[in-house]
Amino acid sequence: MNRDSGMVDEQSAASDPASEARLAQEAFASYAAPLVGHATELAAAAREDASPEALHQLRVSLRRLRSLWWAFEPLLEKNENARQRALFQYLANAAGKTRDWDIAIELLTQQDSGASDIVPKLQEARGIALATSRETLSNADVKHLLRDVLANTSRELNTAHERVPLRKFATQRVDASARSLKKCMKRARHAKRSDYAAFHDVRKAGKKLRYLVEFFEPALEGGCKRTLKRLVEIQKRFGALNDVVASEELLHENAALFAGAGDTDAALQWLHKERKRRIRAAAKLLR
C-alpha cells in the first residue's frame, strides 16, 4: 500500500505472491460472489428471524457490497455502477429501518435514561418496521436481484479491453479512500461540535476504507493490522455517536406515536446529553 495514505506503517509477510500476476478484472468475482451469497442467505433468514442481529448483519453485508462496487467504479460504466450502488443502499435502508428501532430501544432501556415508560411504544413501532422491512425485501426478490447485478458487472469487467494488475489497482483505490477519510477528519476537526454532518462523514469514510482494506489486504504491499485496528476504533466511536443521533431523529419524526405514552422530553434530554458525551469521545480520535 502506498504510504501516502498515512495509515499503514508496517510490512506484511502475508501478501499473496499470486497477486503480482492477478488482474483486477479477474479478481472481482472472487470478492463479490461470496458477498452476494452471504447477503442472499441473510435476506432469506431475515424473513424468519426477527432478532436485531439478523437484519443488522444483512445491512452490513449490503454496505460491504456497495463499497466493493465503489472500489471497482473506475473500471465500470459510471451511470450503471451508480445505479447498482443505489440499489444496495436501498436494500440496506430497508433492513436498517428495523435496526434503528432496535438501537433506540437498547439505548432507552438503560436505567438512567428515564424513558422506560415509552419503551412499549418503541417496541410496537419496531414491529411495524419489521413487517415493512420484510415486505420490501421480499418484493425486491433479493436473491435474483443480487445475482443479476453480479452477473452483469462480471460480464462488463471480463469483456473490457483494459486490463489492470490487481496490486496496482487495489493500492490506488485504498489510497483514494484513505485520502477521502483524511479530508473528512480534517473538516470534522475544525467543525463545531453541533455540526454532526462532519462527524457522520468521518464515519462513512472510515467504514468504506475499512471494507476496502479487508477486501484487498492480501494484494497490498504494506501490512494492514495497525490500519484496521485504527479503523475499527473510528467505526466503533463514530458509530456509537450515530446510534444516539439516529434515535433522536426517530423520536422527533414519530412524535405523534408517543403522544400520551410517557415522558418523551426526558428521553430526548437524555439522548441530547449522551450525544454530547459521545461527540467528545469521537473527537479525541480526530487529533
Side-chain angles (χ1 to χ4, degrees), residues 4 7 32 37 41 53-54 97 113 116 141 162 204 277:
D4 286 346
M7 299 293 291
E41 291 173 2
E53 192 62 20
K97 292 296 183 183
S113 71
S116 59
D141 192 2
E162 183 181 8
K204 292 190 295 183
R277 186 183 71 80

Side-chain angles (χ1 to χ4, degrees), residues 34-209:
L35 283 176
V36 167
H38 187 51
T40 298
E41 291 173 2
L42 290 169
R47 290 198 293 268
E48 306 297 332
D49 187 353
S51 70
E53 192 62 20
L55 286 166
H56 171 59
Q57 290 302 323
L58 175 58
R59 180 162 66 169
V60 170
S61 185
L62 289 163
R63 284 173 171 172
R64 287 173 63 84
L65 281 168
R66 190 165 185 262
S67 295
L68 182 64
W69 257 252
W70 177 88
F72 278 84
E73 180 183 25
L75 305 180
L76 297 166
E77 198 280 317
K78 186 175 181 180
N79 291 334
E80 180 63 13
N81 180 262
R83 188 192 69 80
Q84 291 166 341
R85 286 189 287 124
L87 171 64
F88 297 143
Q89 184 65 57
Y90 168 76
L91 295 175
N93 288 343
K97 292 296 183 183
T98 305
R99 174 64 178 169
D100 288 342
W101 286 108
D102 287 325
I103 291 169
I105 291 168
E106 183 179 345
L107 283 170
L108 294 174
T109 50
Q110 296 184 30
Q111 290 183 354
D112 60 346
S113 71
S116 59
D117 52 350
I118 68 169
V119 169
K121 280 292 184 180
L122 292 172
Q123 293 171 333
E124 179 182 332
R126 194 260 183 193
I128 295 171
L130 175 61
T132 302
S133 293
R134 284 174 166 170
E135 181 179 6
T136 300
L137 294 170
S138 177
N139 290 340
D141 192 2
V142 174
K143 178 180 178 179
H144 292 97
L145 202 59
L146 295 185
R147 287 184 176 179
D148 286 347
V149 171
L150 173 60
N152 291 338
T153 303
S154 297
R155 187 182 309 112
E156 181 181 353
L157 288 170
N158 291 331
T159 56
H161 295 296
E162 183 181 8
R163 286 291 180 262
V164 184
L166 175 60
R167 175 162 290 174
K168 177 182 177 181
F169 178 77
T171 299
Q172 290 175 341
R173 296 309 283 159
V174 169
D175 285 348
S177 184
R179 288 193 297 271
S180 177
L181 174 58
K182 290 177 78 172
K183 289 179 181 178
C184 289
M185 292 180 75
K186 183 178 180 180
R187 284 196 296 269
R189 194 179 302 124
H190 298 290
K192 295 180 179 179
R193 294 295 172 86
S194 59
D195 182 8
Y196 172 66
F199 285 79
H200 187 54
D201 287 343
V202 172
R203 172 176 167 266
K204 292 190 295 183
K207 186 181 298 183
K208 180 187 291 182
L209 178 57

Side-chain angles (χ1 to χ4, degrees), residues 224-241:
C224 301
K225 289 183 179 180
R226 293 182 64 178
T227 298
L228 286 172
K229 183 178 180 181
R230 167 80 166 161
L231 293 172
V232 167
E233 185 61 25
I234 288 174
Q235 191 171 343
K236 179 180 178 181
R237 291 202 198 180
F238 283 80
L241 170 59

